[in-house]
Amino acid sequence: MKFSEMTQDSWAELQLYLDTCLIPYTALRGNQSPVDATEALERLRDFLDLVEIPFKGRIMTYPAFHFEIPEMSMALNTVCKQLKTSGFKYVVIMSSDGLLDKEQMPDADLILLRSDIIQNVEKNEIPRYVGEKIRDLWKR
């Protein structure tokens, strides 16, 4: 579910079920052409679909961070902390192209970087791998 689909009344009603917040991170550097930026967004969309579609009803997708900035890992960690204060039990960050310093992100419950995953998992196994990581998070 997208954050923009929520009303104040529905949030109060669904908050118990929507316990996981998903933060997309595009990692644009500002030097990409419009075509390259579009392709990056499409890669991120396809990667997010691996979580948004099978786990609809439990995951709320928040607005994406599109541009890479210095200290991005610390900035995302701050957002994770604030989202947990607002009522989310879990916060997941997903990026198809970005690199993040996981050591600087203790408040992120799960960081899924497609660029890391494809180095260790066959392409056709990525959906299963991502699904397992989400289910493992909920078992903790």
Side-chain angles (χ1 to χ4, degrees), residues 21-117:
C21 182
L22 178 60
I23 302 173
Y25 173 46
T26 313
L28 297 174
R29 291 179 286 319
N31 61 352
Q32 293 95 337
S33 71
V35 172
D36 292 338
T38 299
E39 290 173 355
L41 287 166
E42 289 171 349
R43 281 190 301 276
L44 180 58
R45 176 204 60 209
D46 294 346
F47 191 46
L48 294 171
D49 282 350
L50 300 179
V51 173
E52 289 177 323
I53 293 171
F55 301 112
K56 185 176 180 162
R58 185 154 180 193
I59 292 187
M60 170 75 61
T61 302
Y62 259 55
F65 280 76
H66 290 295
F67 289 93
E68 182 178 86
I69 61 168
E71 310 300 333
M72 179 53 87
S73 297
M74 290 190 323
L76 283 169
N77 188 67
T78 299
V79 172
C80 291
K81 187 182 298 188
Q82 292 168 337
L83 287 166
K84 287 181 177 181
T85 301
S86 76
F88 287 102
K89 185 173 181 181
Y90 306 103
V91 180
V92 177
I93 297 171
M94 290 183 72
S95 181
S96 59
D97 299 325
L99 301 174
L100 295 166
D101 184 353
K102 295 176 184 180
E103 297 296 316
Q104 293 184 12
M105 304 179 71
D107 290 300
D109 296 294
L110 180 62
I111 301 167
L112 295 169
L113 304 176
R114 186 179 174 280
S115 55
D116 286 348
I117 294 170

Side-chain angles (χ1 to χ4, degrees), residues 14-27:
L14 296 174
Q15 190 172 5
L16 292 174
Y17 307 104
L18 294 168
D19 65 351
T20 305
C21 182
L22 178 60
I23 302 173
Y25 173 46
T26 313

